[in-house]
Amino acid sequence: ALSGRVFCSSASADRLAVAREWVEAQPRDRPLWIVGVDSGVGRELIRSVLGCTESAFGWRAGSLSDFAGELAASELARDVMLPVKHDILTSLCSRVLEETEAAGALEALAPLAGMPGLPRALVRTFTELRGLDVPIVPEEVLSRELSTLFLGYEKALVREGFADEPQTSRIAVRELATDAVRGLSVLIVDPHCR
């Protein structure tokens, strides 16, 4: 069973002090993940606790996306899927846009089809929609044009064997409910918000 503790403070120094104290108390021979906005916060916490002379096997630091990818790695490998980030998804979306335009299915977005910002904006939108974790019928919630692009994007993900962040996160959440994470300590820290 998962258990946890939450510490909230408006002062980042207080949050980091409590985080450092918690990390210091962790057994050096037990896996530990420090999740932050990036790996830098976690690496700095680990360095500040271990110094130059001590080591700890299995201590890792990364973003929430990195952590989800690690948890989902076995299932993704079993399904021959590759977790991908925004840049690859933007390229994939560019290809879907080109295919949709070639099929004559672009309408209002046709003048923007060659603009570099459109694929990025579509990836953000599609990622948000896929991350809702509720079944959606694109034809009911999107315009015909966006629905066509969204369905093309989802087909392209499957065709290429890509797992976007929402899919990777769903797998990771399932993994958290299994024995696969038994013995893993996790610290989620946000040192920057005020």
Side-chain angles (χ1 to χ4, degrees), residues 38-143:
D38 59 30
S39 62
V41 173
R43 285 196 311 256
E44 184 54 40
L45 274 171
I46 290 170
R47 271 193 298 270
S48 74
V49 168
L50 298 178
C52 297
T53 59
E54 195 176 2
S55 64
F57 183 73
W59 283 21
R60 311 257 323 259
S63 67
L64 187 56
S65 177
D66 296 333
F67 182 54
E70 184 76 20
L71 289 175
S74 293
E75 185 172 328
L76 290 172
R78 191 172 44 253
D79 294 342
V80 192
M81 296 191 73
L82 179 67
V84 292
K85 303 281 185 185
H86 192 77
D87 291 346
I88 292 174
L89 294 173
T90 300
S91 296
L92 184 72
C93 200
S94 292
R95 187 172 349 137
V96 170
L97 267 167
E98 288 171 10
E99 291 167 359
T100 306
E101 184 178 34
L106 282 187
E107 298 161 2
L109 294 176
L112 303 174
M115 306 298 271
L118 183 58
R120 285 192 303 267
L122 289 172
V123 167
R124 282 193 305 272
T125 301
F126 296 161
T127 299
E128 291 289 329
L129 285 171
R130 288 174 51 81
L132 291 175
D133 205 25
V134 294
I136 64 164
V137 179
E139 297 86 355
E140 293 176 6
V141 296
L142 299 171
S143 69

Side-chain angles (χ1 to χ4, degrees), residues 139-151:
E139 297 86 355
E140 293 176 6
V141 296
L142 299 171
S143 69
R144 182 178 52 194
E145 183 178 35
L146 282 176
S147 175
T148 299
L149 289 167
F150 181 72
L151 292 170

